[in-house]
Amino acid sequence: MSLSIGIVGLPNVGKSTLFNALTKNNVLAANYPFATIEPNIGIVPVPDERLAKLAEIYQPQKVVPATVTFVDIAGLVRGASQGEGLGNKFLSHIRETNAICQVVRAFEDNNVIHVENEIDPKADIETINTELVLADLATVTNRLDRMRGEVKTNPKLAPLAGLLEKAKAGLDEGKLAGSFLNVDELEQLRDLQLLTAKPFIVAFNLSENQLSDSDLKKRLQAIVDPCPVVFLCAKVEAELGELEAVEAQELLSSLGQDSSGLDQLATAGFKALGLQTFLTAGPQEVRAWTIHAGDTAPQAAGVIHTDFERGFIKAEVVSYSDLITAGSVAEAKTKGKLRLEGRDYIMRDGDVVEFRFNV
């Protein structure tokens, strides 16, 4: 299971600069609209200090972290849903991602033009949301128009038509689909790939000096609350990408930051999508696997291989913290920290697991 996050925003808000920093790719970052035409894709490992600790114990041939796929999508402009700028071209790219990260400009820089000629984070967010809502409204309206005819010959479709009417009404009011449709309703409309049904993360792109401005952060957070928020400086992230780990941490500390934008975005993405990781460890490899919170042991086994889920017998489980304290699986077993769990076991973040199966 992989996590993909579409990076969207108005032109010249720092999307491509951030993407370059996150992926260490040389993607064009230019001071004019539509510098990004085709989406740029980068697969980024999720930093996880637990893997390094397990590697010390097992001395594996390789270490495989969980990953996040970042997709840098062309800048939106007002009227994009009606064909302005790149029009609907960018929309198909967003539909394919699991979550949407809106990069919103909060920094002042006279050398970098703003498409609306003023720095107004709230207005920028409203512009982006409006275009996404209008795009969804067009999708729902088209489906509803077809559905009305189908209901006449198949009355069983009436409940779905009613749900489409509800979705259309909410979108007409400018609401995001995820804010007024419940989980079951969203699932029924999954095939529409509604943009505003996706989890949202807002990344405010600040200047270096603004990173320590707690009052500003509170004001910005209030604009989008309760949406997950990340505060970062794309220029600083670019610098971090050029430094060794120790130097990068020193730079973050000098700016009063505990973690990089990558760490924050990955964590926010996992939280927004209700994801967590379990770990496998041995002399061949130490690896992090991504699953949904609430997944059972057989479902987790299936992420490794479908045969593991089909032939699941038991899961040998020890928590990461207990394993590190014990120093080895054998010692953890001696201390009674190693457990055999069955089909009903709900996986926990950081479980170190070996699956037993028979096919």
Side-chain angles (χ1 to χ4, degrees):
M1 178 187 300
S2 62
L3 166 63
S4 61
I5 299 177
I7 302 177
V8 303
L10 297 176
N12 298 336
V13 298
K15 294 187 292 79
S16 293
T17 300
L18 176 61
F19 180 84
N20 289 347
L22 294 177
T23 63
K24 296 182 174 66
N25 285 343
N26 186 25
V27 176
L28 175 64
N31 182 25
Y32 52 86
F34 313 126
T36 304
I37 298 176
E38 293 298 327
N40 299 299
I41 298 175
I43 299 176
V44 179
V46 178
D48 190 338
E49 62 182 14
R50 297 174 300 188
L51 295 177
K53 293 290 186 181
L54 289 175
E56 291 176 7
I57 295 175
Y58 289 92
Q59 298 296 307
Q61 294 180 21
K62 61 180 178 179
V63 176
V64 184
T67 60
V68 175
T69 298
F70 286 101
V71 183
D72 179 29
I73 298 167
L76 286 71
V77 293
R78 192 181 304 278
S81 59
Q82 303 301 317
E84 292 296 325
L86 295 177
N88 290 331
K89 187 177 181 64
F90 81 92
L91 297 175
S92 62
H93 301 145
I94 302 176
R95 293 187 196 283
E96 296 168 4
T97 62
N98 301 123
I100 294 174
C101 174
Q102 291 189 33
V103 179
V104 180
R105 177 176 172 176
F107 67 88
E108 297 276 358
D109 187 339
N110 293 331
N111 294 318
V112 180
I113 62 174
H114 189 287
V115 71
E116 299 288 355
N117 296 316
E118 64 175 336
I119 306 303
D120 188 339
K122 183 177 181 180
D124 289 357
I125 292 170
E126 290 173 351
T127 295
I128 295 170
N129 287 347
T130 296
E131 295 308 319
L132 298 179
V133 166
L134 289 173
D136 279 352
L137 183 59
T139 299
V140 169
T141 300
N142 290 338
R143 175 63 64 85
L144 185 57
D145 288 344
R146 295 198 304 271
M147 184 69 69
R148 285 169 177 151
E150 294 171 359
V151 169
K152 294 178 181 178
T153 57
N154 186 358
K156 292 183 179 180
L157 294 176
L160 180 56
L163 178 55
L164 288 167
E165 293 280 9
K166 177 180 178 179
K168 182 177 183 300
L171 292 166
D172 266 328
E173 295 176 6
K175 298 177 181 178
L176 304 180
S179 70
F180 67 89
L181 295 176
N182 61 41
V183 174
D184 290 338
E185 291 170 333
L186 290 172
E187 181 62 29
Q188 292 181 62
L189 300 178
R190 175 192 285 268
D191 67 308
L192 294 181
Q193 294 184 299
L194 297 179
L195 302 170
T196 61
K198 296 180 182 294
F200 279 73
I201 304 164
V202 176
F204 286 106
N205 189 9
L206 312 178
S207 67
E208 185 174 321
N209 293 333
Q210 289 173 320
L211 283 173
S212 59
D213 190 335
S214 58
D215 289 337
L216 172 63
K217 291 180 178 179
K218 288 178 181 178
R219 293 196 300 272
L220 294 174
Q221 171 78 66
I223 295 173
V224 297
D225 193 62
C227 180
V229 167
V230 172
F231 298 104
L232 51 80
C233 172
K235 287 185 177 180
V236 169
E237 295 298 322
E239 291 181 40
L240 292 172
E242 301 298 325
L243 300 175
E244 296 296 330
V246 174
E247 295 175 321
Q249 189 55 53
E250 289 176 351
L251 175 57
L252 285 171
S253 297
S254 71
L255 296 171
Q257 303 300 299
D258 297 324
S259 58
S260 69
L262 170 57
D263 293 352
Q264 294 178 55
L265 280 177
T267 300
F270 267 61
K271 182 178 180 180
L273 288 167
L275 301 178
Q276 63 184 25
T277 55
F278 73 90
L279 311 165
T280 55
Q284 296 299 315
E285 72 172 20
V286 166
R287 183 164 184 160
W289 302 86
T290 304
I291 58 174
H292 289 99
D295 277 357
T296 62
Q299 288 173 316
V303 171
I304 299 177
H305 197 287
T306 53
D307 284 349
F308 284 26
E309 181 173 9
R310 182 163 55 88
F312 178 88
I313 299 174
K314 292 286 184 182
E316 193 174 80
V317 183
V318 60
S319 73
Y320 166 80
S321 58
D322 286 340
L323 177 56
I324 294 301
T325 299
S328 69
V329 169
E331 188 62 23
K333 186 174 183 179
T334 299
K335 295 184 176 183
K337 299 298 184 180
L338 192 67
R339 314 182 306 276
L340 283 179
E341 301 288 358
R343 288 186 166 277
D344 295 333
Y345 177 67
I346 304 299
M347 298 291 292
R348 301 171 185 170
D349 187 68
D351 277 345
V352 182
V353 189
E354 182 175 341
F355 294 106
R356 298 181 183 180
F357 67 100
N358 183 31
V359 292

